[in-house]
């Protein structure tokens, strides 16, 4: 890794942290703290390790199981490693016990498989329920009106621990449009936390990416997932 890219990542990371602090100052302090997760698809392990060791990055998220596993040996034991992308049931077995959290759980079938494989591996896996707040077709996440029901089901499974919600908002032109979706997600999140039949502790609300993390924080996110604003824009492969 050359000096120039190190300096670029260092500068980007600092700018994102400053923006996080500024957005936090604009919200209700009761909303708590914000964790920065870096979404690291296509980023080499070396650059991720630089951000962890030199910049203090505290959490990493991968989209694809294969890429997660490729980087796992280099990253294990450093910071929590999350799965944030769509997960197929047949891939669950290979990451249980390795992923510290799976943020993209959006069906009973997937939740049941994670629970089953976790029990086999002797672990309990932290998960978030992914919600499709824009009700977009061809997008992961449970429909907003089904979220409470899915969380209830997930809480019956002994191999997983539900920690909260995750969402990917539709792409919007303006911050105000994002806020509409994030406000909605925050209100569902509060309803779920306040529902006495649930028992969610150390709760997480994961929302906001490079173009929307400040809006998400103002609306109550406790975790933002930022990729390109730290590591630069990349050409994402279509398949693989
Ligand atoms: C890529 C990705 C992000 C980060 O997106 P950027 O626009 O690069 O910040 C966040 N969440 C998920 C699920 C992603 O796939």
């Amino acid at each position: 890794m050359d000096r120039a890219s190190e300096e670029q990542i260092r500068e980007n990371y600092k700018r994102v942290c400053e923006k996080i602090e500024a957005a936090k100052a604009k919200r209700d302090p009761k909303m708590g703290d914000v964790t920065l997760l870096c979404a690291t698809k296509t980023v080499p392990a070396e650059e991720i390790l630089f951000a962890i060791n030199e910049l203090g990055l505290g959490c990493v998220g991968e989209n694809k199981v294969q890429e997660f596993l490729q980087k796992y040996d280099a990253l294990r034991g450093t910071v929590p490693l999350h799965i944030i992308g769509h997960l197929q049931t047949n891939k669950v077995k290979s990451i249980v016990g390795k992923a510290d959290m799976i943020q993209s759980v959006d069906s009973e079938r997937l939740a049941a498989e994670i629970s089953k494989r976790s029990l086999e591996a002797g672990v309990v896996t932290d998960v978030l329920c992914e919600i499709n707040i824009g009700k977009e077709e061809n997008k992961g996440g449970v429909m907003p009106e089904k979220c409470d029901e899915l969380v209830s089901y997930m809480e019956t499974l002994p191999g997983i621990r539900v920690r909260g919600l995750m969402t990917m908002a539709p792409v919007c032109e303006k911050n105000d449009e994002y806020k509409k979706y994030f406000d909605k997600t925050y209100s569902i999140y509060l309803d779920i936390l306040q529902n006495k039949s649930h028992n969610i502790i150390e709760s997480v609300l994961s929302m906001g990416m490079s173009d929307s993390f400040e809006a998400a924080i103002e609306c109550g996110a406790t975790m933002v997932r930022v990729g390109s604003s730290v590591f630069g824009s990349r050409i994402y492969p279509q398949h693989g």
Side-chain angles (χ1 to χ4, degrees):
M1 198 181 159
D2 60 38
R3 277 296 291 270
S5 40
E6 282 190 5
E7 284 319 301
Q8 189 64 62
I9 293 171
R10 186 189 298 279
E11 236 175 72
N12 291 347
Y13 187 84
K14 188 164 161 254
R15 198 172 320 116
V16 167
C17 289
E18 286 166 359
K19 287 180 174 174
I20 289 174
E21 288 308 313
K24 259 167 62 182
K26 289 193 203 165
R27 73 182 199 170
D28 187 341
K30 280 206 292 281
M31 288 169 167
D33 209 354
V34 176
T35 299
L36 169 61
L37 170 150
C38 275
T40 51
K41 52 179 174 277
T42 76
V43 179
E46 187 192 13
E47 290 184 24
I48 304 170
L49 284 170
F50 170 77
I52 292 169
N53 295 327
E54 303 292 324
L55 310 178
L57 172 61
C59 192
V60 164
E62 283 291 342
N63 281 69
K64 298 201 163 101
V65 167
Q66 196 190 343
E67 197 175 341
F68 180 98
L69 294 173
Q70 275 163 4
K71 298 177 198 172
Y72 182 70
D73 282 339
L75 299 179
R76 64 187 297 178
T78 56
V79 297
L81 308 174
H82 293 193
I83 288 282
I84 58 175
H86 175 71
L87 180 60
Q88 288 169 285
T89 1
N90 63 0
K91 302 260 174 78
V92 167
K93 188 174 191 253
S94 57
I95 48 139
V96 155
K98 294 181 174 153
D100 295 283
M101 185 184 282
I102 300 174
Q103 297 201 5
S104 41
V105 183
D106 61 358
S107 72
E108 292 193 356
R109 186 163 164 256
L110 179 58
E113 177 69 8
I114 298 169
S115 177
K116 180 181 152 203
R117 297 298 182 183
S118 298
L119 291 176
E120 283 171 10
V123 298
V124 175
T125 302
D126 278 359
V127 299
L128 300 181
C129 176
E130 181 179 356
I131 171 167
N132 184 349
I133 198 66
K135 297 188 171 196
E136 294 172 282
E137 278 177 42
N138 308 320
K139 195 157 183 175
V142 65
M143 285 298 151
E145 57 276 12
K146 296 271 182 198
C147 185
D148 194 81
E149 192 185 324
L150 179 56
V151 169
S152 293
Y153 173 75
M154 285 160 73
E155 287 200 307
T156 66
L157 300 170
I160 61 178
R161 186 187 304 118
V162 187
R163 295 282 306 279
L165 303 183
M166 182 273 234
T167 198
M168 288 194 41
V171 177
C172 299
E173 300 262 310
K174 299 203 195 78
N175 251 346
D176 284 352
E177 290 175 62
Y178 274 118
K179 284 188 180 168
K180 192 178 71 187
Y181 293 111
F182 293 147
D183 279 336
K184 251 191 222 167
T185 312
Y186 184 68
S187 121
I188 294 170
Y189 172 71
L190 283 190
D191 285 348
I192 283 177
L193 292 187
Q194 279 156 13
N195 182 336
K196 294 270 188 306
S197 67
H198 300 314
N199 179 30
I200 297 175
I201 51 164
E202 298 174 79
S203 64
V204 176
L205 177 57
S206 170
M207 60 184 188
M209 321 202 313
S210 285
D211 54 359
S212 61
F213 69 89
E214 292 154 285
I217 289 169
E218 288 180 43
C219 297
T222 72
M223 180 176 282
V224 291
R225 307 180 309 272
V226 177
S228 51
S229 287
V230 171
F231 292 102
S233 295
R234 282 156 206 280
I235 299 158
Y236 297 133
Q238 296 242 298
H239 302 284

